[in-house]
Amino acid sequence: MLIEIRDMYKTYALGDSTVHALDGVSLDVDYGEFLAIMGHSGSGKSTMLNILGALDTPTGGSYKLDGREVSTMSRNELARFRNQKLGFVFQNFNLLPRTSAVEQVELPAFYGGCPLSPRERRRRALELLDLVGLGKRLYHTPAQLSGGQQQRVAIARALMNNPPVILADEPTGNLDTKSSIEIITFLQELNAKGITIVMVTHEDDIASYAKRRIVMKDGKIIREDNPQHLTTLSQEEHP
């Protein structure tokens, strides 16, 4: 199992009250899954993704990623582990404004203790940009790219260190409909190649591209289903 969460809690003090952002959550994600996490604002989905991404630590419970306990790691251990095991795709792309696409993609290799030489690092970045369809935009800065192209750069960057899992936080949230479909379809293609994807989204149509979907409310998982399976059943029942 790639991700194993058991009895996960995350609490915050808010004045005299205690907020349970996560309230005893347990979740397994296997290698090669495409999981969508859904829920309204305040449901706990963003807290869940932050803990999965080792950007936040739980108040209680266990979190294992690729066989290693993450919840008890030190800050330095988390930083190394995060760079080696996780790729991130954000709603706002998080690209450096004056940096070319190829340099953006190379960045994770600088911080992850990557053994690649500068030449090998550049070659891999070029290959990844070609993979996402930006082989002719290598030296463009974000201002010279559309929103969909910027998100493709972000996806290539997330793949740089060959992480076993990509965490995507509302990856289509700032895109138009056409670009959204292109990005989610591309994530689906990456998943078909064996890359595990965990995605937070509030859009049902985007979540339908995932193999599995969970819905959160008040820090708990309240529902789980397989949107692709449900679609198939619907089509069979209504020829």
Side-chain angles (χ1 to χ4, degrees):
M1 195 65 61
L2 177 59
I3 292 171
E4 299 174 77
I5 286 179
R6 295 291 180 271
D7 297 320
M8 183 70 72
Y9 289 85
K10 182 65 180 182
T11 59
Y12 300 96
L14 187 63
D16 295 330
S17 303
T18 299
V19 176
H20 296 277
L22 293 180
D23 192 5
V25 172
S26 294
L27 176 69
D28 288 333
V29 181
D30 207 350
Y31 291 89
E33 282 204 64
F34 189 164
L35 173 68
I37 303 175
M38 303 191 71
H40 295 299
S41 178
S43 63
K45 64 183 187 299
S46 294
T47 301
M48 171 75 85
L49 198 71
N50 285 340
I51 289 176
L52 288 174
L55 299 170
D56 197 0
T57 55
T59 307
S62 172
Y63 168 29
K64 290 183 179 180
L65 175 61
D66 207 18
R68 290 192 59 188
E69 180 61 53
V70 180
S71 57
T72 57
M73 287 183 181
S74 69
R75 182 174 296 181
N76 288 338
E77 287 176 322
L78 280 174
R80 287 193 300 271
F81 194 71
R82 183 167 55 239
N83 205 276
Q84 293 166 359
K85 296 292 184 178
L86 299 165
F88 295 89
V89 180
F90 300 98
Q91 178 177 345
N92 295 322
F93 319 134
N94 284 16
L95 301 178
L96 299 176
R98 297 180 178 85
T99 303
S100 70
V102 68
E103 291 170 324
Q104 307 266 9
V105 175
E106 288 180 317
L107 282 175
F110 286 105
Y111 300 106
C114 185
L116 298 178
S117 68
R119 179 176 294 181
E120 291 170 328
R121 188 169 60 234
R122 178 55 57 95
R123 181 168 62 246
R124 174 154 177 78
L126 294 175
E127 290 172 352
L128 288 171
L129 284 169
D130 190 57
L131 174 69
V132 300
L134 293 178
K136 296 182 179 179
R137 299 286 189 272
L138 304 176
Y139 302 102
H140 286 58
T141 63
Q144 298 170 311
L145 300 171
S146 69
Q149 289 170 335
Q150 290 183 62
Q151 195 61 293
R152 286 175 180 267
V153 173
I155 292 171
R157 180 184 60 190
L159 294 169
M160 183 67 190
N161 286 345
N162 283 315
V165 59
I166 298 292
L167 301 178
D169 187 5
E170 299 281 4
T172 63
N174 281 344
L175 302 177
D176 59 36
T177 301
K178 181 176 181 293
S179 296
S180 294
I181 293 173
E182 289 175 354
I183 291 299
I184 195 64
T185 301
F186 185 70
L187 289 175
Q188 198 175 45
E189 291 170 357
L190 289 177
N191 177 245
K193 295 177 181 179
I195 296 172
T196 304
I197 296 173
V198 178
M199 173 182 67
V200 162
T201 181
H202 66 278
E203 301 176 83
D204 283 323
D205 56 338
I206 295 300
S208 70
Y209 284 79
K211 295 177 180 176
R212 177 179 163 214
R213 176 173 61 189
I214 62 173
V215 181
M216 298 190 67
K217 181 180 180 181
D218 297 330
K220 297 178 181 290
I221 296 173
I222 62 167
R223 191 168 76 249
E224 178 175 340
D225 57 37
N226 181 327
Q228 293 182 339
H229 179 59
L230 293 177
T231 299
T232 300
L233 287 177
S234 175
Q235 289 170 347
E236 290 173 351
E237 293 169 359
H238 304 282

